[in-house]
């Protein structure tokens, strides 16, 4: 009797395994033969609002940097370790005939167009998923690169802005 039960369990196990294999192959073939459906795009204002908010944030910060103290480079050297971190770059600029004050003014002022470009890319990224063109996605990628460079640079300079750079890098990774 024990032998008969063991034999029936083995044959039942083989039958179940065979049925599972046939079912798996049939499912795989069915999925392979179906035409993939395009993803469903839903309309909502949350994503657009987040992009607009980020665009406004970057536009505002770039406009705020039009202050004479920032443009002259005094603010960035006062609230960061930029003089220590970029000392070799200042020396190299000196060999090219650029004074230290002119270097820091150029360095600080260069942030303004970068932040304006990031602001524009956030506004363009809102339409990246729904556009037939590849350009919005490419512009969003450019914005991601600029945001990463800007905020990694801020962290390298030990800019005294707390966790802000990390939040903005995380947001760029999620949005752009």
């Amino acid at each position: 009797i024990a032998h008969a039960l063991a034999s029936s369990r083995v044959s039942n196990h083989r039958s179940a395994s065979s049925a599972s294999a046939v079912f798996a192959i049939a499912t795989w073939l069915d999925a392979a033969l179906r035409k993939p459906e395009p993803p469903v795009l839903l309309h909502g204002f949350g994503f657009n609002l987040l992009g607009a908010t980020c665009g406004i944030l970057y536009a505002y910060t770039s406009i705020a940097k039009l202050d004479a103290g920032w443009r002259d480079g005094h603010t960035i050297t006062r609230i960061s370790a930029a003089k220590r971190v970029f000392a070799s770059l200042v020396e190299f600029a000196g060999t090219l005939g650029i004074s230290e004050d002119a270097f820091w003014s150029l360095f600080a002022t260069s942030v303004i167009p970068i932040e304006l470009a990031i602001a524009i890319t956030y506004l363009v990224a809102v339409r990246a998923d729904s556009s037939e063109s590849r350009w919005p996605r490419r512009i969003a990628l450019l914005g991601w690169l600029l945001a990463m460079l800007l905020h990694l640079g801020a962290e390298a300079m030990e800019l005294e802005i707390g966790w802000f750079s990390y939040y903005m890098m995380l947001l760029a990774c999620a949005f752009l």
Side-chain angles (χ1 to χ4, degrees), residues 4-21:
L5 284 175
S7 307
S8 68
R9 283 187 188 164
V10 170
S11 65
N12 285 341
H13 179 69
R14 286 185 188 151
S15 299
S17 296
S18 299
S20 296

Side-chain angles (χ1 to χ4, degrees), residues 30-40:
D30 181 55
L33 296 176
R34 284 187 190 193
K35 290 184 179 180
E37 295 180 20
V40 177

Side-chain angles (χ1 to χ4, degrees), residues 79-175:
I79 65 170
S80 71
K83 282 191 174 185
R84 178 180 49 82
V85 172
F86 294 110
S88 59
L89 197 55
V90 172
E91 288 177 22
F92 177 71
T95 62
L96 298 175
I98 301 172
S99 70
E100 185 174 347
D101 288 339
F103 173 82
W104 289 116
S105 178
L106 287 169
F107 188 85
T109 305
S110 70
V111 174
I112 296 169
I114 291 171
E115 287 183 339
L116 281 174
I118 295 170
I120 292 167
T121 61
Y122 268 101
L123 297 176
V124 170
V126 169
R127 306 302 296 168
D129 289 339
S130 61
S131 176
E132 297 288 326
S133 174
R134 291 183 182 176
W135 283 106
R137 287 184 207 101
R138 290 177 180 164
I139 291 170
L141 177 61
L142 172 67
W144 180 83
L145 289 170
L146 289 173
M148 291 297 119
L149 289 172
L150 177 72
H151 293 293
L152 287 172
E155 287 304 311
M157 290 187 300
E158 300 170 12
L159 199 61
E160 296 174 6
I161 55 174
W163 287 83
F164 182 74
S165 288
Y166 296 108
Y167 293 139
M168 296 313 288
M169 287 188 283
L170 181 64
L171 186 61
C173 288
F175 197 86

